[in-house]
């Protein structure tokens, strides 16, 4: 695959554990941190067709398996982490911008309706792909369109309607990288918007194990139910496997308590799913993405 001509940073056999919330897992065959969109397009154009491509944001909601990730992991860093109000309550954001940055920039511009992004630990690229949501709202409610780079380097803008959003799901093709998105809110008072963001931040702090190595919500809420409740009913609160544990604070969170491997974390999740199915008849679906080689 070498040599590539790039301006950004390209690393072979790059350890990924430090880049994900769980702090576990193997290395990427290649990790590319592009300088800008043109650099990323040029890089994709030099890759062998069929090479797997995966975008990495803040690394929440993700288990990188211990055998590492084949192909190329693209990490959208600072050059893609901007958010600005472009008028008419529309926010234009880079794929690497965090939920906190987008919601606070919207607040300062008097744009309401994006407060819930304060409660999503991730970047624009991740929550556009997953239809991320929190506190009764989801990305499908605010997305206008997004700019994608396909693995072959082609650049397309896709309207929200074409993403076929459903709960924590979109029709974004595998390997497509979200490099930018536009969100539309409504006019609001920065003080009231800020108060709502503070309320969301406090609610998260109270209910979620934020100061631990975790991945965010582990399982999707089943139709008409709450995943955490089912996990609790199945007696899994505090359950441990290797160095991984079901959080005692919020049972829909797994935590890396003691140098867990990714196999510990994923195995614990599967054991929870088994116990919940046995006890309640409900098969929980993973919300956390699991990628790479076992």
């Amino acid at each position: 695959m070498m040599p590539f001509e790039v301006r950004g940073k390209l690393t072979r056999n790059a350890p990924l554990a430090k880049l994900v919330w769980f702090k576990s897992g193997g290395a990427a065959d290649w990790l590319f941190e592009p300088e800008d969109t043109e650099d990323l397009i040029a890089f994709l154009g030099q890759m062998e067709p069929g090479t797997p491509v995966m975008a990495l944001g803040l690394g929440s909601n993700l288990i990188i398996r211990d055998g590492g990730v084949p192909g190329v992991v693209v990490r959208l860093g600072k050059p893609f982490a901007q958010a600005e109000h472009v008028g008419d309550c529309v926010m234009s954001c880079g794929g690497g911008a965090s939920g906190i940055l987008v919601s606070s920039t919207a607040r300062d511009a008097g744009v309401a309706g994006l407060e819930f992004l304060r409660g999503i630990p991730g970047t624009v690229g991740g929550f556009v792909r997953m239809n991320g949501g929190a506190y009764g709202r989801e990305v499908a409610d605010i997305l206008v369109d997004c700019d994608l780079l396909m693995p072959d380097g082609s650049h397309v803008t896709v309207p929200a309607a074409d993403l076929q959003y459903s709960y924590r799901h979109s029709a974004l093709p595998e390997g497509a990288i979200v490099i930018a998105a536009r969100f539309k809110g409504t006019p609001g008072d920065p003080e009231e918007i800020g108060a709502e963001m503070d309320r969301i931040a406090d609610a998260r702090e109270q209910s979620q194990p934020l100061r631990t190595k975790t991945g965010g919500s582990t399982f999707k809420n089943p139709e008409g139910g709450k995943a955490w409740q089912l996990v609790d009913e199945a007696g899994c609160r505090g359950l441990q496997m290797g160095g991984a544990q079901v959080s005692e604070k919020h049972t829909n969170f797994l935590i890396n308590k003691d140098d867990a491997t990714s196999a510990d974390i994923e195995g614990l999740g599967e054991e929870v799913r088994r116990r919940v199915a046995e006890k309640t008849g409900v098969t929980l679906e993973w919300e956390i993405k699991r990628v790479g080689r076992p």
Side-chain angles (χ1 to χ4, degrees), residues 76-98:
L76 300 183
K78 275 216 176 78
F80 295 86
Q82 74 288 348
E84 60 171 337
H85 180 227
V86 291
D88 199 24
C89 292
V90 173
M91 301 296 300
S92 177
C93 310
S98 68

Side-chain angles (χ1 to χ4, degrees), residues 39-282:
D39 192 27
L40 179 53
I41 291 172
F43 171 73
L44 292 172
Q46 295 172 67
M47 275 183 359
E48 284 170 30
T51 304
V53 176
M54 183 189 109
L56 178 65
L58 291 183
S60 59
N61 218 51
L62 187 65
I63 293 172
I64 301 277
R65 293 187 174 118
D66 299 307
V69 179
V72 176
V73 172
V74 175
R75 188 163 186 244
L76 300 183
K78 275 216 176 78
F80 295 86
Q82 74 288 348
E84 60 171 337
H85 180 227
V86 291
D88 199 24
C89 292
V90 173
M91 301 296 300
S92 177
C93 310
S98 68
I100 291 179
L101 177 72
V102 175
S103 55
S104 47
T105 309
R107 173 200 63 208
D108 296 347
V111 176
L114 279 64
E115 297 88 346
F116 73 98
L117 295 178
R118 171 71 183 81
I120 305 180
T123 55
V124 166
F127 46 73
V128 165
R129 175 174 285 280
M130 293 273 304
N131 189 17
Y135 304 97
R137 304 264 291 160
E138 56 185 18
V139 167
D141 300 331
I142 57 171
L143 184 70
V144 179
D145 58 18
C146 60
D147 297 336
L148 305 179
L149 278 188
M150 307 313 268
D152 64 359
S154 59
H155 189 184
V156 290
T157 298
V158 180
D162 290 4
L163 294 178
Q164 299 168 29
Y165 272 141
S166 57
Y167 175 57
R168 301 294 174 267
H169 179 77
S170 77
L172 266 184
E174 262 315 294
I177 299 170
V178 180
I179 54 167
R182 263 73 51 193
F183 302 118
K184 187 169 173 63
T186 53
D189 170 7
E191 261 183 47
E192 286 172 22
I193 296 167
E196 173 63 6
M197 283 169 59
D198 291 345
R199 188 190 69 74
I200 287 170
D202 289 346
R204 283 188 73 225
E205 184 71 51
Q206 297 303 315
S207 65
Q208 299 174 11
L210 299 181
R211 308 201 180 285
T212 60
K213 293 180 279 193
T214 181
S217 294
T218 306
F219 304 111
K220 299 177 184 180
N221 287 326
E223 194 72 41
K226 294 275 186 217
W228 75 264
Q229 231 161 351
L230 295 171
V231 175
D232 217 9
E233 278 170 29
C236 296
R237 186 181 288 267
L239 182 67
Q240 278 186 267
M241 182 180 283
Q245 183 183 30
V246 176
S247 167
E248 297 186 46
K249 186 170 185 180
H250 191 314
T251 51
N252 197 24
F253 282 65
L254 302 180
I255 57 178
N256 176 352
K257 191 172 183 207
D258 191 19
D259 292 330
T261 62
S262 290
D264 289 342
I265 298 166
E266 189 171 2
L268 177 61
E270 289 297 344
E271 175 61 14
V272 168
R273 291 180 72 226
R274 189 189 68 74
R275 292 191 187 194
V276 167
E278 199 173 84
K279 174 95 168 106
T280 67
V282 176

Side-chain angles (χ1 to χ4, degrees), residues 9-15 28-33:
K9 188 178 172 200
L10 183 62
T11 313
R12 191 168 193 167
N13 294 327
D29 290 356
W30 296 92
L31 174 67
F32 183 47
E33 300 169 86

